[in-house]
Amino acid sequence: VHKPLSPLTESYRLIRSGILLSSAEHPPKTILTTSMGPKEGKTSTTLNLARILVQNKMKVLVMDCDMRRPRLHTIFDMPNDVGLSNYLSGTTKENILHTIPGGDITIIPAGSIPPNPAELLSSKKMKLLLTKMAEVYDHVFLDSPPIQSVTDALTLSTMVDGTIVVVRAGKTTYEMLESGLKKLHDVQSNILGFVLNARRKRDSMTGYYSGSGYGYGYGYSKYYAKDAKSEETKS
């Protein structure tokens, strides 16, 4: 927003082009963003992609599907007492859509933390909501929990047109990536690509996904602890 000509912003434009050109007949409307573990940048990546698409005069909705550790509402300083979980559980009739002032982005917060997030996210009501929102918005992003330890992201990946995996340089290991990709392939998820996040120009840490280029790139390439190898990896 504040640095529209920066290399970071240009990288997001490249990702936007990759998304829009990823399908033969039409761009994917419903997109899941996930990662292997926590704090790898998937929420900020989701919001920045939404902002870039809005600059193309597109209507964009972002749904916080991380009902275990929701974060979207904290970024925009909005209440989270009513949201996606409340709608899916039938405990509210309030409007759960929030438009960000000056951003032209619509947000659905996660809502109250439920005892059964996996059941709510895999419900028929969730599928119907996603279908309805895809009729209203040009793109619908689902910001999900990480793939490791919980099945939420895997379940959601079967409902959307495509999945983007955020990989953080120096944090996401090859072993984590291979294990997560196997899980996605096992449920026949359509992987649109990777977003390589937080890479330093001279990053050479052995054993971690590094890649090349700017801090963000596009290619095919103990979060909930308290509460196996993919066929190929491209970069």
Side-chain angles (χ1 to χ4, degrees):
V1 174
H2 301 293
K3 297 181 180 180
L5 300 180
S6 69
L8 177 61
T9 305
E10 185 58 33
S11 291
Y12 272 114
R13 292 194 182 99
L14 291 173
I15 300 172
R16 176 186 64 192
S17 298
I19 292 173
L20 297 179
L21 297 173
S22 63
S23 300
E25 297 181 0
H26 57 79
K29 291 181 68 72
T30 54
I31 301 170
L32 176 77
T33 54
T34 188
S35 61
M36 298 298 115
K39 299 181 179 179
E40 294 182 335
K42 64 180 177 55
T43 299
S44 58
T45 297
T46 302
L47 292 174
N48 282 327
L49 286 175
R51 291 187 186 278
I52 287 292
L53 287 165
V54 163
Q55 291 177 6
N56 264 23
K57 307 300 180 183
M58 296 181 180
K59 292 181 62 178
V60 180
L61 169 68
V62 179
M63 302 170 62
D64 191 345
C65 296
D66 192 341
M67 296 181 184
R68 302 167 193 265
R69 295 187 179 181
R71 184 161 176 260
L72 273 183
H73 68 285
T74 62
I75 295 176
F76 296 105
D77 193 24
M78 64 172 60
N80 191 46
D81 52 336
V82 176
L84 181 61
S85 64
N86 306 92
Y87 172 81
L88 295 178
S89 61
T91 57
T92 184
K93 293 184 179 180
E94 294 184 34
N95 180 19
I96 60 174
L97 298 169
H98 301 266
T99 301
I100 303 305
D104 296 323
I105 299 173
T106 303
I107 300 290
I108 294 182
S112 305
I113 298 178
N116 56 341
E119 292 181 16
L120 293 180
L121 293 173
S122 62
S123 65
K124 182 178 180 180
K125 196 169 185 179
M126 178 63 185
K127 297 176 182 178
L128 292 174
L129 175 64
L130 192 56
T131 299
K132 182 178 179 179
M133 293 298 100
E135 295 173 353
V136 177
Y137 294 89
D138 296 307
H139 295 283
V140 178
F141 283 93
L142 280 63
D143 185 31
S144 79
I147 291 175
Q148 305 294 355
S149 301
V150 294
T151 60
D152 301 8
L154 296 176
T155 299
L156 292 171
S157 71
T158 64
M159 302 181 188
V160 296
D161 296 331
T163 296
I164 293 176
V165 179
V166 177
V167 178
R168 190 174 184 90
K171 184 175 177 66
T172 308
T173 66
Y174 284 110
E175 290 75 16
M176 292 168 61
L177 189 59
E178 289 175 349
S179 173
L181 284 176
K182 183 181 186 305
K183 292 178 181 179
L184 288 168
H185 285 305
D186 286 346
V187 296
Q188 299 182 339
S189 302
N190 178 27
I191 303 176
L192 297 177
F194 300 152
V195 173
L196 178 60
N197 183 28
R199 181 188 180 274
R200 297 171 298 186
K201 289 185 177 180
R202 296 184 180 181
D203 195 349
S204 60
M205 288 184 278
T206 304
Y208 294 91
Y209 195 84
S210 182
S212 61
Y214 292 119
Y216 288 68
Y218 187 84
Y220 186 69
S221 33
K222 301 173 181 174
Y223 188 62
Y224 295 120
K226 294 181 180 179
D227 311 314
K229 179 177 178 181
S230 65
E231 291 182 359
E232 74 175 339
T233 302
K234 302 178 182 177
S235 63

